[in-house]
């Protein structure tokens, strides 16, 4: 039952590719359109994050006071959020709502067949590299030092730049006081998570790598705008 959704998405990208003259920019445009559609959810998420950060010092005090009584802590936290007309889930539910959209786009870019037919999107190329081609196959077919391999190298460099920017922002946010409600292990892992896109792009088709680049760059820019006025907890 997932095929009709994938087919519709693939048809929309193909329709965009016609006037643009190429599928690669169609993927970029389609990804931007999806992110614009999800922008209200991102705004909700940013608001929830600001509330969480504003309440972080009070949450920490409750954790220190009632840490040995989980039931009492749960009641106190619920009362705190109720008094502030907020929800502890406000920051995560919008993010979870985005997952189905991303799952559809991912499947479109990695599926060799859609609705029983070959995925024509993956037969198109970018600078001579088929969008369905993976980095390992490109190196095996053309060599590490070649034009097609350089296309992937350029993609990896752009993904690295976005990951570095995102990682620095995460470290800065934690340094400003966000770390008090985060487990120590998670605090050490979070700045490394953005670099996972490089590992993903190394094993996924080129089309999926383009999607990763656009969506992560959008997220970095979006967070810079929506979170710039987020107050540091006192």
């Amino acid at each position: 039952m997932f095929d009709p959704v994938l087919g519709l998405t693939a048809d929309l990208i193909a329709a965009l590719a016609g006037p643009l003259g190429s599928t690669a920019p169609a993927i970029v445009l389609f990804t931007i359109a999806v992110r614009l559609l999800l922008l209200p959810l991102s705004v909700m998420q940013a608001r929830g994050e600001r509330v969480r950060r504003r309440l972080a010092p009070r949450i920490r005090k409750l954790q220190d006071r009632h840490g040995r009584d989980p039931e009492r802590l749960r009641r106190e936290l619920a009362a705190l959020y109720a008094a502030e007309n907020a929800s502890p889930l406000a920051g995560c539910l919008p993010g979870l709502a985005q997952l189905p959209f991303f799952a559809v786009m991912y499947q479109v870019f990695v599926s060799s067949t859609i609705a029983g037919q070959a995925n024509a999107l993956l037969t198109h190329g970018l600078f001579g590299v088929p969008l369905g081609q993976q980095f390992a196959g490109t190196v095996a077919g053309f060599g590490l030092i070649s034009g097609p391999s350089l296309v992937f190298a350029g993609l990896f460099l752009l993904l690295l730049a976005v990951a570095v920017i995102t990682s620095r922002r995460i470290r800065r946010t934690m340094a400003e006081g966000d770390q008090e409600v985060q487990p120590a292990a998670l605090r050490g892992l979070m700045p490394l998570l953005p670099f996972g896109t490089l590992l993903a792009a190394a094993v996924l088709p080129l089309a999926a790598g383009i999607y990763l680049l656009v969506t992560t760059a959008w997220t970095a820019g979006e967070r810079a705008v929506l979170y710039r006025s987020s107050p540091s907890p006192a």
Side-chain angles (χ1 to χ4, degrees), residues 12 24 42 51 69 82 89 98 112 121 129 132 140 178 188 212 217 222:
L12 288 174
S42 298
V51 170
D69 187 349
L89 300 178
Q98 298 179 35
S112 58
L121 293 177
V129 182
D178 193 46
L212 280 176
E222 187 177 74

Side-chain angles (χ1 to χ4, degrees), residues 30-90:
F30 185 81
T31 306
I32 291 174
V34 171
R35 293 308 304 259
L36 284 172
L37 179 66
L38 297 175
L39 186 57
L41 298 180
S42 298
V43 173
M44 290 173 56
Q45 192 171 27
R47 289 174 179 169
E49 178 67 13
R50 284 195 290 270
V51 170
R52 189 186 69 80
R53 294 194 66 198
R54 178 167 56 82
L55 297 180
R58 297 165 67 180
I59 293 174
R60 186 170 67 253
K61 289 179 181 179
L62 290 176
Q63 290 172 334
D64 293 340
R65 185 180 306 166
H66 305 296
R68 295 184 179 181
D69 187 349
E71 181 59 27
R72 175 71 182 276
L73 177 61
R74 184 192 65 78
R75 293 199 304 269
E76 294 290 341
L77 288 175
L80 173 62
Y81 280 107
E84 295 291 333
N85 195 26
S87 168
L89 300 178

Side-chain angles (χ1 to χ4, degrees), residues 5-228:
V5 178
L6 296 182
L8 176 61
T9 304
D11 289 343
L12 288 174
I13 295 175
L16 289 173
L20 292 174
S22 175
T23 300
I27 292 173
V28 173
L29 185 60
F30 185 81
T31 306
I32 291 174
V34 171
R35 293 308 304 259
L36 284 172
L37 179 66
L38 297 175
L39 186 57
L41 298 180
S42 298
V43 173
M44 290 173 56
Q45 192 171 27
R47 289 174 179 169
E49 178 67 13
R50 284 195 290 270
V51 170
R52 189 186 69 80
R53 294 194 66 198
R54 178 167 56 82
L55 297 180
R58 297 165 67 180
I59 293 174
R60 186 170 67 253
K61 289 179 181 179
L62 290 176
Q63 290 172 334
D64 293 340
R65 185 180 306 166
H66 305 296
R68 295 184 179 181
D69 187 349
E71 181 59 27
R72 175 71 182 276
L73 177 61
R74 184 192 65 78
R75 293 199 304 269
E76 294 290 341
L77 288 175
L80 173 62
Y81 280 107
E84 295 291 333
N85 195 26
S87 168
L89 300 178
C92 62
L93 284 180
L96 292 176
Q98 298 179 35
L99 293 179
F101 294 92
F102 296 155
V104 169
M105 296 188 70
Y106 169 81
Q107 287 297 327
V108 166
F109 297 147
V110 300
S111 298
S112 58
T113 60
I114 295 179
Q117 298 182 351
N119 187 354
L121 293 177
L122 300 185
T123 64
H124 299 177
L126 175 65
F127 300 119
V129 182
L131 293 175
Q133 184 73 35
Q134 296 175 318
F135 178 60
T138 300
V139 172
F142 299 95
L144 184 60
I145 308 300
S146 64
S149 294
L150 289 178
V151 172
F152 275 95
L155 174 66
F156 296 155
L157 286 175
L158 291 173
L159 283 169
L160 177 61
V162 174
V164 168
I165 293 172
T166 304
S167 180
R168 287 178 177 174
R169 183 172 184 83
I170 290 174
R171 292 182 186 277
R172 184 167 63 251
T173 300
M174 292 193 299
E176 290 172 352
D178 193 46
Q179 72 270 27
E180 63 271 351
V181 293
Q182 301 280 2
L186 186 58
R187 294 200 303 268
L189 178 62
M190 286 182 64
L192 301 178
L193 291 179
F195 296 97
T197 56
L198 288 166
L199 298 177
V203 299
L204 291 175
L206 178 59
I210 295 172
Y211 157 69
L212 280 176
L213 175 61
V214 177
T215 195
T216 53
W218 179 280
T219 298
E222 187 177 74
R223 291 185 68 87
V225 173
L226 294 180
Y227 291 74
R228 69 183 186 278

